[in-house]
Amino acid sequence: MLSRRGFIKTFGGFVVAVLSTVAYGIGIEPRGRPRVVRYRIVPPGWPEGLRLRLVLISDIHACDPYMPASRVAEIAHQANGIGGDMILLLGDFLSGMELGSLVPPEAWGEALRPLQAPLGVHAILGNHDWLDDRRAMQTGRPGVVKDVLDRLGVPLYENRAVRLEKDGHAFWLAGLADQLLPARGLDDLAGTLARVTDEAPVILMAHEPDVFPTVPARVAVTLSGHTHGGQIRLFGYSPFVPSRFGSRYVYGHIVEEGRHLVVSGGLGTSAIPVRLGSPPEITVVELG
């Protein structure tokens, strides 16, 4: 049996461990320099000779003091240094945090202005870009984030597909409107893919990965964020994943029936300012 002194020492050690873990999850892991996570994928039927490096920035959630404009600027500088052919912004620029203060859109927008890549910077919206924008929710049309992207000259993909080329090889970049908001979502996968007019491969941006089971094999790779890699992941398990599929699409490179999905762990936090076992990341996808 534990003596009274032994019990106090054991309990004290437990309390210290819990407090240390909480402090790490709030003050260290979510605020560290993002790691760079790389995936190399050769989708079925991918054109030989077409090499693409995609740099994914997802779930910024601009909010003081956790994701101030100065940190967004550092992330932009880091992303530029990777040397991608394209930089893809996968949504959730706005914050869902109640603990903290919002970063003015013009501030985080200017922090992103230096982003550049040979084939451009491209963006979609996330659910918080609706939920935390009163004007967008009232009108049912993209609001403040679209205004910022327009000023930056970054095209917004709302059920849109654009044909691009590199080294004489064509491919399509497509992006879905958000699947959750307003109301039950505005995404139109069939309508988006109907804009593709030839056999060149398709890269699909979709903020929430839940669309993946309905994505046809015609799409070479689907790129998503939204889950924050679970945001809190202990021993490989995330207690809360914002997906109707649970942990099926929580993080990483997933292959189902020959179809490829990459879910970025993203950068910021929502609901609570904690990341534990799921550090911020910039995701790089090498195709071909």
Side-chain angles (χ1 to χ4, degrees), residues 44-65:
W46 187 260
E48 189 169 346
L50 177 57
R51 302 286 186 269
L52 285 175
R53 177 179 294 167
L54 312 178
V55 178
L56 314 183
I57 295 177
S58 187
D59 301 279
I60 291 173
H61 292 294
C63 177
D64 273 323

Side-chain angles (χ1 to χ4, degrees), residues 18 25 45 51 78 80 86 105 134 151 158 224 245 251 284:
V18 169
R51 302 286 186 269
Q78 183 181 359
N80 279 346
M86 292 192 295
R134 182 177 299 176
R151 289 196 294 270
E158 290 276 288
S224 297
F245 294 102
Y251 177 70
V284 178

Side-chain angles (χ1 to χ4, degrees), residues 46-282:
W46 187 260
E48 189 169 346
L50 177 57
R51 302 286 186 269
L52 285 175
R53 177 179 294 167
L54 312 178
V55 178
L56 314 183
I57 295 177
S58 187
D59 301 279
I60 291 173
H61 292 294
C63 177
D64 273 323
Y66 314 107
M67 185 64 75
S70 59
R71 185 163 184 236
V72 176
E74 292 170 357
I75 289 167
H77 178 74
Q78 183 181 359
N80 279 346
I82 294 170
D85 295 298
M86 292 192 295
I87 295 176
L88 306 181
L89 309 178
L90 297 183
D92 273 6
F93 301 86
L94 301 184
S95 175
M97 292 289 301
E98 295 184 3
L99 301 174
S101 58
L102 299 181
V103 175
E106 56 271 18
W108 60 256
E110 285 304 307
L112 291 175
R113 186 175 292 280
L115 286 175
Q116 58 182 337
L119 296 178
V121 182
H122 310 263
I124 56 174
L125 298 183
N127 55 304
H128 281 282
D129 300 326
W130 291 93
L131 186 63
D132 297 300
D133 183 345
R134 182 177 299 176
R135 171 162 62 96
M137 291 296 288
Q138 289 175 343
T139 64
R141 295 190 297 273
V144 65
V145 174
K146 184 178 186 303
D147 293 344
V148 171
L149 295 174
D150 286 347
R151 289 196 294 270
L152 297 178
V154 174
L156 176 63
Y157 288 66
E158 290 276 288
N159 301 323
R160 178 185 178 205
V162 172
R163 190 177 189 271
L164 300 169
E165 289 189 7
K166 183 193 175 189
D167 297 334
H169 296 279
F171 65 95
W172 291 83
L173 179 64
L176 292 183
D178 192 71
Q179 301 163 50
L180 298 178
L181 295 166
R184 295 185 179 180
L186 297 172
D187 59 303
D188 181 1
L189 178 60
T192 301
L193 296 181
R195 296 174 178 268
V196 175
T197 58
D198 61 25
E199 296 305 311
V202 178
I203 297 165
L204 178 66
M205 300 182 290
H207 179 70
E208 295 92 357
D210 282 15
V211 73
F212 186 59
T214 64
V215 174
R218 174 71 182 85
V219 173
V221 62
T222 302
L223 307 173
S224 297
H226 182 61
T227 65
H228 304 181
Q231 193 163 309
I232 297 174
R233 189 164 66 241
L234 301 173
F235 308 108
Y237 171 74
S238 298
F240 174 75
V241 180
S243 167
R244 67 179 185 272
F245 294 102
S247 294
R248 181 174 169 183
Y249 304 129
V250 66
Y251 177 70
H253 179 204
I254 297 112
V255 182
E256 291 184 355
E257 299 176 352
R259 298 171 304 117
H260 293 266
L261 167 69
V262 173
V263 182
S264 172
L267 294 157
T269 58
S270 63
I272 57 174
V274 175
R275 272 185 178 260
L276 190 60
S278 181
E281 71 176 57
I282 296 173

